[in-house]
């Protein structure tokens, strides 16, 4: 499980039911998804047996109505920020030891006319060497 998978699982457990990782699905497949996309690992320190760093995960909330996109994005960000991370800490090669979120903001209006609101989750992670 990746950091994105951990966040998607947390959101699903918090009743955000249409969560995807990796790709933004077509409006024909899912009208109003929550998409979770993982960035690259950035090392901040290295020790003998492990390295610490961060992975930024972007959460995209797609809705037909702008107010709905905004309110769902705010609720999702709050769920991530307030979560007990222990059950979601194992993220494959990483162990999540902390998270920080940005405030949700309007990202774009996609090609199908849906509103996309987004926020970033910076996962502080430890990776064993």
């Amino acid at each position: 499980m990746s950091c994105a998978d951990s966040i998607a699982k947390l959101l699903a457990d918090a009743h955000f039911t249409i969560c995807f990782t990796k790709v933004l699905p077509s409006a024909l497949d899912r009208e109003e998804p929550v998409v979770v996309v993982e960035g690259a690992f950035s090392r901040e320190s290295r020790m003998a047996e492990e390295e610490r760093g961060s992975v930024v995960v972007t959460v995209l909330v797609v809705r037909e109505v702008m107010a709905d996109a905004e309110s769902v994005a705010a609720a999702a960000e709050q769920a991530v920020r307030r979560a007990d991370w222990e059950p979601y800490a194992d993220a494959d090669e990483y162990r999540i030891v902390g998270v920080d979120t940005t405030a949700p903001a309007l990202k774009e209006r996609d090609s199908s006319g849906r509103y996309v609101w987004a926020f970033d989750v910076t996962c502080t992670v430890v990776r064993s060497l």
Side-chain angles (χ1 to χ4, degrees):
M1 182 162 38
S2 66
C3 292
D5 292 333
S6 291
I7 291 172
K9 176 147 178 38
L10 178 144
L11 290 171
D13 290 350
H15 307 292
F16 295 91
T17 56
I18 305 174
C19 293
F20 294 87
T21 57
K22 317 290 189 251
V23 296
L24 185 61
S26 164
L28 298 173
D29 295 332
R30 293 288 183 195
E31 292 179 14
E32 297 187 328
V34 175
V35 181
V36 183
V37 182
E38 184 169 321
F41 172 75
S42 175
R43 182 175 54 216
E44 295 165 7
S45 66
R46 186 174 186 160
M47 293 160 258
E49 309 224 349
E50 68 183 25
E51 57 186 357
R52 290 181 175 261
S54 60
V55 174
V56 176
V57 176
T58 301
V59 178
L60 306 165
V61 176
V62 182
R63 295 292 184 268
E64 294 287 334
V65 177
M66 181 134 141
D68 292 345
E70 181 179 11
S71 66
V72 172
E77 186 269 337
Q78 186 177 45
V80 171
R81 188 170 22 97
R82 292 182 175 176
D84 172 19
W85 272 97
E86 192 59 36
Y88 308 99
D90 184 22
D92 198 23
E93 64 182 302
Y94 306 115
R95 182 172 38 88
I96 299 172
V97 295
V99 297
D100 189 20
T101 62
T102 62
L106 177 64
K107 179 176 173 65
E108 65 185 4
R109 194 158 186 198
D110 71 9
S111 61
S112 65
R114 301 174 299 176
Y115 293 93
V116 181
W117 276 67
F119 64 93
D120 288 334
V121 181
T122 302
C123 299
T124 303
V125 297
V126 175
R127 186 167 83 162
S128 297
L129 297 176

